[in-house]
Amino acid sequence: MTLAHLTGAGRSPAGPSRSPSPGNPNSPFPLSRVLEGHADYDAVFRVVRGAVHRALGVERPGLGLGLSNLPAQLGAYWQVTGNLIVMNEGLVETMRAHARSPLELNSFVYVILAHEYLHALGYLDERAVREVTAFVTRSALGPDHVATKMAEGNLWQMFPFLAYSPGGDGRRLKVVTRFDLATTERYIR
């Protein structure tokens, strides 16, 4: 599968019309180390932004993050034209309780945020965004990284306990403060 296939060269509404300018896949990606230790949502999102920029050469500043009690089968969503990614807090807490390491938890958060970030960049087709998430992750973190295995697999099959996460109807929303600081710290405090 080629990058042109994943990013839809010749463009349809499935993704952005910018041409990618991938980074050197043979050079180390220093942000990957952030996933190995305890990290907040902003730190994990810095890895996402860096990985996407490295692999595709595109970025979007100024996104926010909200946590909500979504149905267990929904990891997150981004409303088209919106600035807020809404992540399923119950899934994150379930994964936090079962994760074998900070790397596993952070990789899980990374994959969900990367998927929604790619939606915010214009990749609207679900199948295409899954493929691009896997491509970006493999390009930045390598084929053997935990996040790559998650991005290329099915999270609910890999972690069957996620199906038993507490779900909800999404009525409650908690905005995460100090998120996407790399692009907002000059004007949002």
Side-chain angles (χ1 to χ4, degrees):
M1 193 172 309
T2 66
L3 178 60
H5 170 74
L6 289 176
T7 59
R11 270 349 293 157
S12 70
S17 59
R18 302 166 210 89
S19 59
S21 55
N24 180 356
N26 297 323
S27 65
F29 182 57
L31 286 175
S32 67
R33 298 186 80 75
V34 170
L35 300 178
E36 296 171 9
H38 295 285
D40 63 8
Y41 291 109
D42 179 62
V44 174
F45 191 64
R46 270 187 282 129
V47 179
V48 169
R49 287 177 53 82
V52 169
H53 190 265
R54 176 187 175 101
L56 302 177
V58 295
E59 59 186 344
R60 177 180 173 178
L63 290 174
L65 177 66
L67 300 175
S68 187
N69 57 336
L70 302 174
Q73 68 275 13
L74 181 62
Y77 70 87
W78 168 79
Q79 185 175 1
V80 176
T81 74
N83 289 331
L84 189 69
I85 294 171
V86 179
M87 184 180 257
N88 189 333
E89 186 174 27
L91 281 182
V92 174
E93 291 309 315
T94 298
M95 189 65 186
R96 187 181 318 278
H98 289 86
R100 294 174 289 223
S101 68
L103 176 62
E104 189 172 64
L105 173 63
N106 293 335
S107 294
F108 176 79
V109 171
Y110 165 95
V111 168
I112 292 174
L113 286 176
H115 180 99
E116 298 307 323
Y117 182 54
L118 287 164
H119 278 314
L121 286 168
Y123 293 91
L124 302 181
D125 179 76
E126 277 299 316
R127 182 172 177 213
V129 83
R130 285 186 183 120
E131 291 174 355
V132 178
T133 301
F135 172 79
V136 164
T137 306
R138 188 180 331 103
S139 297
L141 304 177
D144 298 323
H145 196 279
V146 174
T148 303
K149 293 181 187 326
M150 289 181 189
E152 292 176 340
N154 179 317
L155 292 173
W156 281 257
Q157 288 177 353
M158 295 174 76
F159 306 106
F161 54 81
L162 292 176
Y164 304 104
S165 296
D169 56 12
R171 289 185 195 189
R172 181 186 49 79
L173 179 70
K174 178 171 40 176
V175 175
V176 174
T177 59
R178 305 188 51 76
F179 181 77
D180 197 11
L181 292 177
T183 65
T184 61
E185 68 184 342
R186 282 175 254 129
Y187 61 91
I188 297 177
R189 301 206 187 268

PDB file of all heavy atoms in Angstrom, residues 15-49:
ATOM      1  N   GLY A  15     -10.133  13.139   2.592  1.00  0.00           N
ATOM      2  CA  GLY A  15      -8.993  13.668   3.310  1.00  0.00           C
ATOM      3  C   GLY A  15      -8.523  14.986   2.744  1.00  0.00           C
ATOM      4  O   GLY A  15      -9.060  15.482   1.769  1.00  0.00           O
ATOM      5  N   PRO A  16      -7.471  15.556   3.362  1.00  0.00           N
ATOM      6  CA  PRO A  16      -7.010  16.869   2.974  1.00  0.00           C
ATOM      7  C   PRO A  16      -6.368  16.885   1.595  1.00  0.00           C
ATOM      8  O   PRO A  16      -5.901  15.871   1.110  1.00  0.00           O
ATOM      9  CB  PRO A  16      -5.997  17.225   4.063  1.00  0.00           C
ATOM     10  CG  PRO A  16      -5.539  15.938   4.600  1.00  0.00           C
ATOM     11  CD  PRO A  16      -6.698  14.990   4.447  1.00  0.00           C
ATOM     12  N   SER A  17      -6.316  18.055   0.996  1.00  0.00           N
ATOM     13  CA  SER A  17      -5.757  18.175  -0.337  1.00  0.00           C
ATOM     14  C   SER A  17      -4.280  18.543  -0.315  1.00  0.00           C
ATOM     15  O   SER A  17      -3.671  18.680  -1.351  1.00  0.00           O
ATOM     16  CB  SER A  17      -6.535  19.228  -1.128  1.00  0.00           C
ATOM     17  OG  SER A  17      -6.462  20.460  -0.464  1.00  0.00           O
ATOM     18  N   ARG A  18      -3.683  18.705   0.861  1.00  0.00           N
ATOM     19  CA  ARG A  18      -2.269  19.021   0.934  1.00  0.00           C
ATOM     20  C   ARG A  18      -1.458  17.811   0.511  1.00  0.00           C
ATOM     21  O   ARG A  18      -1.800  16.695   0.834  1.00  0.00           O
ATOM     22  CB  ARG A  18      -1.886  19.405   2.363  1.00  0.00           C
ATOM     23  CG  ARG A  18      -2.657  20.568   2.909  1.00  0.00           C
ATOM     24  CD  ARG A  18      -2.418  20.609   4.425  1.00  0.00           C
ATOM     25  NE  ARG A  18      -3.541  21.167   5.110  1.00  0.00           N
ATOM     26  CZ  ARG A  18      -4.579  20.478   5.557  1.00  0.00           C
ATOM     27  NH1 ARG A  18      -4.675  19.205   5.385  1.00  0.00           N
ATOM     28  NH2 ARG A  18      -5.554  21.070   6.190  1.00  0.00           N
ATOM     29  N   SER A  19      -0.366  18.052  -0.166  1.00  0.00           N
ATOM     30  CA  SER A  19       0.484  16.916  -0.521  1.00  0.00           C
ATOM     31  C   SER A  19       1.405  16.625   0.654  1.00  0.00           C
ATOM     32  O   SER A  19       1.949  17.543   1.264  1.00  0.00           O
ATOM     33  CB  SER A  19       1.283  17.213  -1.775  1.00  0.00           C
ATOM     34  OG  SER A  19       2.091  18.344  -1.594  1.00  0.00           O
ATOM     35  N   PRO A  20       1.597  15.357   0.984  1.00  0.00           N
ATOM     36  CA  PRO A  20       2.411  15.017   2.137  1.00  0.00           C
ATOM     37  C   PRO A  20       3.889  15.251   1.864  1.00  0.00           C
ATOM     38  O   PRO A  20       4.351  15.152   0.744  1.00  0.00           O
ATOM     39  CB  PRO A  20       2.121  13.532   2.353  1.00  0.00           C
ATOM     40  CG  PRO A  20       1.631  13.042   1.050  1.00  0.00           C
ATOM     41  CD  PRO A  20       0.999  14.207   0.361  1.00  0.00           C
ATOM     42  N   SER A  21       4.607  15.579   2.909  1.00  0.00           N
ATOM     43  CA  SER A  21       6.061  15.682   2.816  1.00  0.00           C
ATOM     44  C   SER A  21       6.644  14.897   3.982  1.00  0.00           C
ATOM     45  O   SER A  21       7.001  15.446   5.000  1.00  0.00           O
ATOM     46  CB  SER A  21       6.503  17.145   2.868  1.00  0.00           C
ATOM     47  OG  SER A  21       5.998  17.763   4.021  1.00  0.00           O
ATOM     48  N   PRO A  22       6.672  13.584   3.818  1.00  0.00           N
ATOM     49  CA  PRO A  22       7.085  12.732   4.930  1.00  0.00           C
ATOM     50  C   PRO A  22       8.520  12.993   5.359  1.00  0.00           C
ATOM     51  O   PRO A  22       9.367  13.340   4.555  1.00  0.00           O
ATOM     52  CB  PRO A  22       6.931  11.309   4.384  1.00  0.00           C
ATOM     53  CG  PRO A  22       6.555  11.421   2.963  1.00  0.00           C
ATOM     54  CD  PRO A  22       6.359  12.862   2.622  1.00  0.00           C
ATOM     55  N   GLY A  23       8.743  12.823   6.660  1.00  0.00           N
ATOM     56  CA  GLY A  23      10.086  12.950   7.208  1.00  0.00           C
ATOM     57  C   GLY A  23      10.909  11.720   6.884  1.00  0.00           C
ATOM     58  O   GLY A  23      10.452  10.789   6.244  1.00  0.00           O
ATOM     59  N   ASN A  24      12.130  11.720   7.326  1.00  0.00           N
ATOM     60  CA  ASN A  24      13.019  10.594   7.086  1.00  0.00           C
ATOM     61  C   ASN A  24      12.649   9.451   8.030  1.00  0.00           C
ATOM     62  O   ASN A  24      12.868   9.561   9.232  1.00  0.00           O
ATOM     63  CB  ASN A  24      14.468  11.032   7.310  1.00  0.00           C
ATOM     64  CG  ASN A  24      15.454   9.912   7.075  1.00  0.00           C
ATOM     65  OD1 ASN A  24      15.074   8.769   6.816  1.00  0.00           O
ATOM     66  ND2 ASN A  24      16.725  10.230   7.162  1.00  0.00           N
ATOM     67  N   PRO A  25      12.103   8.357   7.498  1.00  0.00           N
ATOM     68  CA  PRO A  25      11.669   7.264   8.366  1.00  0.00           C
ATOM     69  C   PRO A  25      12.824   6.535   9.044  1.00  0.00           C
ATOM     70  O   PRO A  25      12.618   5.792   9.982  1.00  0.00           O
ATOM     71  CB  PRO A  25      10.912   6.327   7.416  1.00  0.00           C
ATOM     72  CG  PRO A  25      11.436   6.638   6.059  1.00  0.00           C
ATOM     73  CD  PRO A  25      11.858   8.087   6.087  1.00  0.00           C
ATOM     74  N   ASN A  26      14.063   6.773   8.570  1.00  0.00           N
ATOM     75  CA  ASN A  26      15.204   6.089   9.168  1.00  0.00           C
ATOM     76  C   ASN A  26      15.797   6.848  10.348  1.00  0.00           C
ATOM     77  O   ASN A  26      16.591   6.306  11.089  1.00  0.00           O
ATOM     78  CB  ASN A  26      16.281   5.852   8.106  1.00  0.00           C
ATOM     79  CG  ASN A  26      15.773   4.938   7.018  1.00  0.00           C
ATOM     80  OD1 ASN A  26      15.030   4.001   7.282  1.00  0.00           O
ATOM     81  ND2 ASN A  26      16.158   5.219   5.782  1.00  0.00           N
ATOM     82  N   SER A  27      15.427   8.117  10.520  1.00  0.00           N
ATOM     83  CA  SER A  27      15.951   8.872  11.653  1.00  0.00           C
ATOM     84  C   SER A  27      15.075   8.620  12.874  1.00  0.00           C
ATOM     85  O   SER A  27      13.882   8.393  12.750  1.00  0.00           O
ATOM     86  CB  SER A  27      16.005  10.362  11.320  1.00  0.00           C
ATOM     87  OG  SER A  27      14.716  10.868  11.130  1.00  0.00           O
ATOM     88  N   PRO A  28      15.673   8.660  14.063  1.00  0.00           N
ATOM     89  CA  PRO A  28      14.883   8.405  15.274  1.00  0.00           C
ATOM     90  C   PRO A  28      13.824   9.493  15.495  1.00  0.00           C
ATOM     91  O   PRO A  28      14.010  10.635  15.108  1.00  0.00           O
ATOM     92  CB  PRO A  28      15.913   8.409  16.394  1.00  0.00           C
ATOM     93  CG  PRO A  28      17.202   8.811  15.806  1.00  0.00           C
ATOM     94  CD  PRO A  28      17.062   8.906  14.322  1.00  0.00           C
ATOM     95  N   PHE A  29      12.744   9.098  16.103  1.00  0.00           N
ATOM     96  CA  PHE A  29      11.654  10.017  16.433  1.00  0.00           C
ATOM     97  C   PHE A  29      11.717  10.251  17.936  1.00  0.00           C
ATOM     98  O   PHE A  29      11.204   9.453  18.716  1.00  0.00           O
ATOM     99  CB  PHE A  29      10.320   9.403  16.007  1.00  0.00           C
ATOM    100  CG  PHE A  29       9.122  10.288  16.255  1.00  0.00           C
ATOM    101  CD1 PHE A  29       9.044  11.556  15.718  1.00  0.00           C
ATOM    102  CD2 PHE A  29       8.065   9.830  17.023  1.00  0.00           C
ATOM    103  CE1 PHE A  29       7.942  12.359  15.937  1.00  0.00           C
ATOM    104  CE2 PHE A  29       6.951  10.622  17.245  1.00  0.00           C
ATOM    105  CZ  PHE A  29       6.890  11.900  16.697  1.00  0.00           C
ATOM    106  N   PRO A  30      12.363  11.337  18.382  1.00  0.00           N
ATOM    107  CA  PRO A  30      12.614  11.527  19.816  1.00  0.00           C
ATOM    108  C   PRO A  30      11.359  11.622  20.678  1.00  0.00           C
ATOM    109  O   PRO A  30      11.392  11.250  21.847  1.00  0.00           O
ATOM    110  CB  PRO A  30      13.431  12.817  19.878  1.00  0.00           C
ATOM    111  CG  PRO A  30      13.257  13.479  18.559  1.00  0.00           C
ATOM    112  CD  PRO A  30      12.876  12.422  17.569  1.00  0.00           C
ATOM    113  N   LEU A  31      10.247  12.092  20.113  1.00  0.00           N
ATOM    114  CA  LEU A  31       9.028  12.208  20.918  1.00  0.00           C
ATOM    115  C   LEU A  31       8.473  10.849  21.351  1.00  0.00           C
ATOM    116  O   LEU A  31       7.683  10.778  22.283  1.00  0.00           O
ATOM    117  CB  LEU A  31       7.954  12.972  20.147  1.00  0.00           C
ATOM    118  CG  LEU A  31       8.149  14.477  20.027  1.00  0.00           C
ATOM    119  CD1 LEU A  31       7.080  15.077  19.127  1.00  0.00           C
ATOM    120  CD2 LEU A  31       8.128  15.138  21.391  1.00  0.00           C
ATOM    121  N   SER A  32       8.882   9.779  20.693  1.00  0.00           N
ATOM    122  CA  SER A  32       8.344   8.458  21.048  1.00  0.00           C
ATOM    123  C   SER A  32       8.635   8.088  22.496  1.00  0.00           C
ATOM    124  O   SER A  32       7.865   7.364  23.123  1.00  0.00           O
ATOM    125  CB  SER A  32       8.889   7.379  20.108  1.00  0.00           C
ATOM    126  OG  SER A  32      10.288   7.218  20.298  1.00  0.00           O
ATOM    127  N   ARG A  33       9.706   8.611  23.051  1.00  0.00           N
ATOM    128  CA  ARG A  33      10.072   8.297  24.442  1.00  0.00           C
ATOM    129  C   ARG A  33       9.041   8.812  25.441  1.00  0.00           C
ATOM    130  O   ARG A  33       8.926   8.300  26.543  1.00  0.00           O
ATOM    131  CB  ARG A  33      11.448   8.852  24.757  1.00  0.00           C
ATOM    132  CG  ARG A  33      12.536   8.233  23.880  1.00  0.00           C
ATOM    133  CD  ARG A  33      13.909   8.678  24.304  1.00  0.00           C
ATOM    134  NE  ARG A  33      14.416   7.949  25.448  1.00  0.00           N
ATOM    135  CZ  ARG A  33      14.885   6.699  25.416  1.00  0.00           C
ATOM    136  NH1 ARG A  33      14.878   6.032  24.308  1.00  0.00           N
ATOM    137  NH2 ARG A  33      15.354   6.137  26.505  1.00  0.00           N
ATOM    138  N   VAL A  34       8.276   9.838  25.057  1.00  0.00           N
ATOM    139  CA  VAL A  34       7.236  10.390  25.929  1.00  0.00           C
ATOM    140  C   VAL A  34       6.227   9.307  26.304  1.00  0.00           C
ATOM    141  O   VAL A  34       5.723   9.276  27.429  1.00  0.00           O
ATOM    142  CB  VAL A  34       6.526  11.583  25.246  1.00  0.00           C
ATOM    143  CG1 VAL A  34       5.294  12.021  26.011  1.00  0.00           C
ATOM    144  CG2 VAL A  34       7.502  12.739  25.067  1.00  0.00           C
ATOM    145  N   LEU A  35       5.959   8.395  25.386  1.00  0.00           N
ATOM    146  CA  LEU A  35       4.960   7.352  25.634  1.00  0.00           C
ATOM    147  C   LEU A  35       5.427   6.315  26.651  1.00  0.00           C
ATOM    148  O   LEU A  35       4.613   5.561  27.176  1.00  0.00           O
ATOM    149  CB  LEU A  35       4.583   6.653  24.324  1.00  0.00           C
ATOM    150  CG  LEU A  35       3.972   7.537  23.239  1.00  0.00           C
ATOM    151  CD1 LEU A  35       3.694   6.714  21.973  1.00  0.00           C
ATOM    152  CD2 LEU A  35       2.718   8.229  23.721  1.00  0.00           C
ATOM    153  N   GLU A  36       6.706   6.270  26.932  1.00  0.00           N
ATOM    154  CA  GLU A  36       7.246   5.245  27.822  1.00  0.00           C
ATOM    155  C   GLU A  36       7.013   5.527  29.304  1.00  0.00           C
ATOM    156  O   GLU A  36       7.057   4.615  30.120  1.00  0.00           O
ATOM    157  CB  GLU A  36       8.745   5.075  27.568  1.00  0.00           C
ATOM    158  CG  GLU A  36       9.034   4.564  26.169  1.00  0.00           C
ATOM    159  CD  GLU A  36      10.512   4.587  25.823  1.00  0.00           C
ATOM    160  OE1 GLU A  36      11.357   4.844  26.722  1.00  0.00           O
ATOM    161  OE2 GLU A  36      10.822   4.358  24.646  1.00  0.00           O
ATOM    162  N   GLY A  37       6.789   6.766  29.670  1.00  0.00           N
ATOM    163  CA  GLY A  37       6.615   7.122  31.078  1.00  0.00           C
ATOM    164  C   GLY A  37       5.235   7.692  31.327  1.00  0.00           C
ATOM    165  O   GLY A  37       4.368   7.675  30.455  1.00  0.00           O
ATOM    166  N   HIS A  38       5.044   8.194  32.523  1.00  0.00           N
ATOM    167  CA  HIS A  38       3.754   8.799  32.855  1.00  0.00           C
ATOM    168  C   HIS A  38       3.608  10.088  32.061  1.00  0.00           C
ATOM    169  O   HIS A  38       4.505  10.932  32.070  1.00  0.00           O
ATOM    170  CB  HIS A  38       3.650   9.045  34.361  1.00  0.00           C
ATOM    171  CG  HIS A  38       3.646   7.763  35.132  1.00  0.00           C
ATOM    172  ND1 HIS A  38       2.548   6.936  35.187  1.00  0.00           N
ATOM    173  CD2 HIS A  38       4.624   7.138  35.833  1.00  0.00           C
ATOM    174  CE1 HIS A  38       2.838   5.872  35.898  1.00  0.00           C
ATOM    175  NE2 HIS A  38       4.100   5.968  36.301  1.00  0.00           N
ATOM    176  N   ALA A  39       2.498  10.229  31.356  1.00  0.00           N
ATOM    177  CA  ALA A  39       2.281  11.395  30.498  1.00  0.00           C
ATOM    178  C   ALA A  39       0.827  11.834  30.585  1.00  0.00           C
ATOM    179  O   ALA A  39      -0.072  10.997  30.699  1.00  0.00           O
ATOM    180  CB  ALA A  39       2.638  11.046  29.055  1.00  0.00           C
ATOM    181  N   ASP A  40       0.604  13.141  30.521  1.00  0.00           N
ATOM    182  CA  ASP A  40      -0.765  13.641  30.494  1.00  0.00           C
ATOM    183  C   ASP A  40      -1.256  13.681  29.046  1.00  0.00           C
ATOM    184  O   ASP A  40      -0.519  13.348  28.112  1.00  0.00           O
ATOM    185  CB  ASP A  40      -0.862  15.002  31.190  1.00  0.00           C
ATOM    186  CG  ASP A  40      -0.047  16.098  30.514  1.00  0.00           C
ATOM    187  OD1 ASP A  40       0.493  15.882  29.404  1.00  0.00           O
ATOM    188  OD2 ASP A  40       0.056  17.188  31.106  1.00  0.00           O
ATOM    189  N   TYR A  41      -2.497  14.112  28.859  1.00  0.00           N
ATOM    190  CA  TYR A  41      -3.082  14.138  27.515  1.00  0.00           C
ATOM    191  C   TYR A  41      -2.301  15.063  26.590  1.00  0.00           C
ATOM    192  O   TYR A  41      -2.113  14.763  25.412  1.00  0.00           O
ATOM    193  CB  TYR A  41      -4.550  14.565  27.574  1.00  0.00           C
ATOM    194  CG  TYR A  41      -5.448  13.545  28.214  1.00  0.00           C
ATOM    195  CD1 TYR A  41      -6.007  13.770  29.468  1.00  0.00           C
ATOM    196  CD2 TYR A  41      -5.753  12.351  27.567  1.00  0.00           C
ATOM    197  CE1 TYR A  41      -6.842  12.832  30.057  1.00  0.00           C
ATOM    198  CE2 TYR A  41      -6.583  11.407  28.141  1.00  0.00           C
ATOM    199  CZ  TYR A  41      -7.124  11.648  29.387  1.00  0.00           C
ATOM    200  OH  TYR A  41      -7.952  10.719  29.961  1.00  0.00           O
ATOM    201  N   ASP A  42      -1.847  16.193  27.097  1.00  0.00           N
ATOM    202  CA  ASP A  42      -1.091  17.129  26.270  1.00  0.00           C
ATOM    203  C   ASP A  42       0.210  16.500  25.783  1.00  0.00           C
ATOM    204  O   ASP A  42       0.575  16.646  24.615  1.00  0.00           O
ATOM    205  CB  ASP A  42      -0.796  18.418  27.050  1.00  0.00           C
ATOM    206  CG  ASP A  42       0.003  19.409  26.222  1.00  0.00           C
ATOM    207  OD1 ASP A  42      -0.512  19.857  25.173  1.00  0.00           O
ATOM    208  OD2 ASP A  42       1.150  19.707  26.611  1.00  0.00           O
ATOM    209  N   ALA A  43       0.907  15.801  26.650  1.00  0.00           N
ATOM    210  CA  ALA A  43       2.176  15.170  26.266  1.00  0.00           C
ATOM    211  C   ALA A  43       1.953  14.109  25.190  1.00  0.00           C
ATOM    212  O   ALA A  43       2.699  14.042  24.209  1.00  0.00           O
ATOM    213  CB  ALA A  43       2.852  14.563  27.494  1.00  0.00           C
ATOM    214  N   VAL A  44       0.933  13.286  25.361  1.00  0.00           N
ATOM    215  CA  VAL A  44       0.632  12.258  24.353  1.00  0.00           C
ATOM    216  C   VAL A  44       0.233  12.930  23.037  1.00  0.00           C
ATOM    217  O   VAL A  44       0.643  12.505  21.960  1.00  0.00           O
ATOM    218  CB  VAL A  44      -0.457  11.287  24.846  1.00  0.00           C
ATOM    219  CG1 VAL A  44      -0.864  10.322  23.734  1.00  0.00           C
ATOM    220  CG2 VAL A  44       0.020  10.517  26.073  1.00  0.00           C
ATOM    221  N   PHE A  45      -0.533  14.015  23.119  1.00  0.00           N
ATOM    222  CA  PHE A  45      -0.955  14.702  21.899  1.00  0.00           C
ATOM    223  C   PHE A  45       0.232  15.337  21.177  1.00  0.00           C
ATOM    224  O   PHE A  45       0.242  15.417  19.949  1.00  0.00           O
ATOM    225  CB  PHE A  45      -2.030  15.747  22.213  1.00  0.00           C
ATOM    226  CG  PHE A  45      -2.685  16.299  20.984  1.00  0.00           C
ATOM    227  CD1 PHE A  45      -3.433  15.484  20.149  1.00  0.00           C
ATOM    228  CD2 PHE A  45      -2.539  17.634  20.645  1.00  0.00           C
ATOM    229  CE1 PHE A  45      -4.032  15.982  19.002  1.00  0.00           C
ATOM    230  CE2 PHE A  45      -3.149  18.142  19.500  1.00  0.00           C
ATOM    231  CZ  PHE A  45      -3.885  17.312  18.677  1.00  0.00           C
ATOM    232  N   ARG A  46       1.259  15.775  21.917  1.00  0.00           N
ATOM    233  CA  ARG A  46       2.475  16.277  21.265  1.00  0.00           C
ATOM    234  C   ARG A  46       3.111  15.193  20.408  1.00  0.00           C
ATOM    235  O   ARG A  46       3.611  15.459  19.317  1.00  0.00           O
ATOM    236  CB  ARG A  46       3.485  16.780  22.296  1.00  0.00           C
ATOM    237  CG  ARG A  46       3.301  18.239  22.626  1.00  0.00           C
ATOM    238  CD  ARG A  46       4.408  18.780  23.512  1.00  0.00           C
ATOM    239  NE  ARG A  46       4.154  18.343  24.883  1.00  0.00           N
ATOM    240  CZ  ARG A  46       5.031  17.737  25.664  1.00  0.00           C
ATOM    241  NH1 ARG A  46       6.245  17.510  25.252  1.00  0.00           N
ATOM    242  NH2 ARG A  46       4.705  17.376  26.879  1.00  0.00           N
ATOM    243  N   VAL A  47       3.070  13.949  20.891  1.00  0.00           N
ATOM    244  CA  VAL A  47       3.597  12.829  20.109  1.00  0.00           C
ATOM    245  C   VAL A  47       2.734  12.630  18.855  1.00  0.00           C
ATOM    246  O   VAL A  47       3.256  12.438  17.755  1.00  0.00           O
ATOM    247  CB  VAL A  47       3.659  11.533  20.953  1.00  0.00           C
ATOM    248  CG1 VAL A  47       4.188  10.366  20.126  1.00  0.00           C
ATOM    249  CG2 VAL A  47       4.497  11.736  22.205  1.00  0.00           C
ATOM    250  N   VAL A  48       1.421  12.695  19.028  1.00  0.00           N
ATOM    251  CA  VAL A  48       0.509  12.554  17.884  1.00  0.00           C
ATOM    252  C   VAL A  48       0.812  13.624  16.837  1.00  0.00           C
ATOM    253  O   VAL A  48       1.005  13.309  15.650  1.00  0.00           O
ATOM    254  CB  VAL A  48      -0.970  12.654  18.339  1.00  0.00           C
ATOM    255  CG1 VAL A  48      -1.905  12.792  17.150  1.00  0.00           C
ATOM    256  CG2 VAL A  48      -1.357  11.459  19.199  1.00  0.00           C
ATOM    257  N   ARG A  49       0.839  14.886  17.255  1.00  0.00           N
ATOM    258  CA  ARG A  49       1.086  15.985  16.310  1.00  0.00           C
ATOM    259  C   ARG A  49       2.427  15.801  15.605  1.00  0.00           C
ATOM    260  O   ARG A  49       2.539  15.997  14.399  1.00  0.00           O
ATOM    261  CB  ARG A  49       1.077  17.336  17.032  1.00  0.00           C
ATOM    262  CG  ARG A  49      -0.298  17.799  17.459  1.00  0.00           C
ATOM    263  CD  ARG A  49      -0.229  19.121  18.228  1.00  0.00           C
ATOM    264  NE  ARG A  49       0.489  20.134  17.502  1.00  0.00           N
ATOM    265  CZ  ARG A  49      -0.035  20.887  16.526  1.00  0.00           C
ATOM    266  NH1 ARG A  49      -1.287  20.720  16.184  1.00  0.00           N
ATOM    267  NH2 ARG A  49       0.690  21.791  15.912  1.00  0.00           N
TER     268      ARG A  49
END
